[in-house]
Amino acid sequence: LEVAEMFSDLFPDGVFMICGNHDLYSKSTTKINSIKYFRHIKNINVFDEPEVVKIGDKKFQMLPWRKHHEDEKAFLKDHAADFLCCHMNVLNMSLNSYTKVERGCDDNDFKGFGHVFSGHIHYTQKSEKVTMLGCPYQLTRSDRNNKKYVLLFDPANSERVEFENNFSQYSEAKYALGV
């Protein structure tokens, strides 16, 4: 809680947390989750249901994790905003350095949004329309050589500052056989 309170003081315009699959007690609902208690700290906003937030003159659609990709697609079809902040799979992205995403939304599903920020996949990557934020630190060996960072985003001018985490808990060792 001390870290949350520190962020609350650092960002008086708000800290925004979107409920993800790892925050849930049950995959059938987002209502029982591990981050809801942060909403009692000033300036911290927790989203366990879809909601539009206006920051300056920009609209952000907050979309927490959904169990079914069809539900995500149906929701996106009926909504639009400058930015979509979500927790979902995106086709043509990678789950890690070895495996591609095979189910989820694609760029056609994001027509109503200027840019998409998602945090579901732990592997950091970008396309023209989507920034997959990933995890700010390595979780597995397949994360090795994947840039890890925390993103500071200014909606007024779309400026992005990446605070890179250069610590690697996994290293690569190469052996010469038969030497």
Side-chain angles (χ1 to χ4, degrees), residues 147-162:
K147 183 177 180 181
K148 301 297 182 183
Y149 61 90
V150 173
L151 178 71
L152 180 62
F153 178 70
D154 184 348
N157 57 18
S158 293
E159 181 182 353
R160 302 174 198 192
V161 178
E162 297 175 357

Side-chain angles (χ1 to χ4, degrees), residues 76 82-88 90 93 106-107 109-119 125-133 160:
L76 295 173
D82 298 297
F83 301 99
L84 171 64
C85 298
C86 58
H87 196 90
M88 67 173 60
V90 178
M93 293 283 177
D106 64 27
D107 284 352
D109 296 312
F110 303 127
K111 287 180 182 174
F113 303 93
H115 194 78
V116 178
F117 296 98
S118 183
Q125 56 208 298
K126 300 173 188 171
S127 71
E128 186 175 330
K129 185 88 169 181
V130 179
T131 299
M132 190 62 66
L133 297 168
R160 302 174 198 192

Side-chain angles (χ1 to χ4, degrees), residues 8-9 12 25 36-38 50 69 82 95 104 113-114 136 161 174:
S8 169
D9 292 337
Y25 174 74
K36 69 179 182 177
Y37 297 103
F38 289 109
H69 300 299
D82 298 297
L95 292 171
F113 303 93
V161 178
K174 295 183 180 185

Side-chain angles (χ1 to χ4, degrees), residues 57-176:
D57 63 346
K58 305 291 184 188
K59 283 176 35 179
F60 287 77
Q61 175 66 63
M62 304 298 186
L63 181 60
W65 183 82
R66 293 290 176 251
K67 183 176 182 178
H68 302 290
H69 300 299
E70 298 76 28
D71 295 341
E72 295 168 340
K73 289 177 183 243
F75 179 88
L76 295 173
K77 192 182 301 183
D78 295 332
H79 294 82
D82 298 297
F83 301 99
L84 171 64
C85 298
C86 58
H87 196 90
M88 67 173 60
N89 277 350
V90 178
L91 292 174
N92 299 318
M93 293 283 177
S94 298
L95 292 171
N96 53 48
S97 58
Y98 308 107
T99 309
K100 289 280 190 196
V101 173
E102 295 180 1
R103 293 181 21 227
C105 295
D106 64 27
D107 284 352
N108 292 326
D109 296 312
F110 303 127
K111 287 180 182 174
F113 303 93
H115 194 78
V116 178
F117 296 98
S118 183
H120 181 55
I121 297 173
H122 303 167
Y123 200 69
T124 305
Q125 56 208 298
K126 300 173 188 171
S127 71
E128 186 175 330
K129 185 88 169 181
V130 179
T131 299
M132 190 62 66
L133 297 168
C135 185
Y137 51 86
Q138 291 180 346
L139 289 174
T140 67
R141 285 180 181 82
S142 67
D143 284 349
R144 193 179 62 242
N145 299 322
N146 181 241
K147 183 177 180 181
K148 301 297 182 183
Y149 61 90
V150 173
L151 178 71
L152 180 62
F153 178 70
D154 184 348
N157 57 18
S158 293
E159 181 182 353
R160 302 174 198 192
V161 178
E162 297 175 357
F163 295 93
E164 190 169 355
N165 177 357
N166 292 312
F167 174 77
S168 174
Q169 66 182 11
Y170 298 104
S171 58
E172 185 174 17
K174 295 183 180 185
Y175 300 94

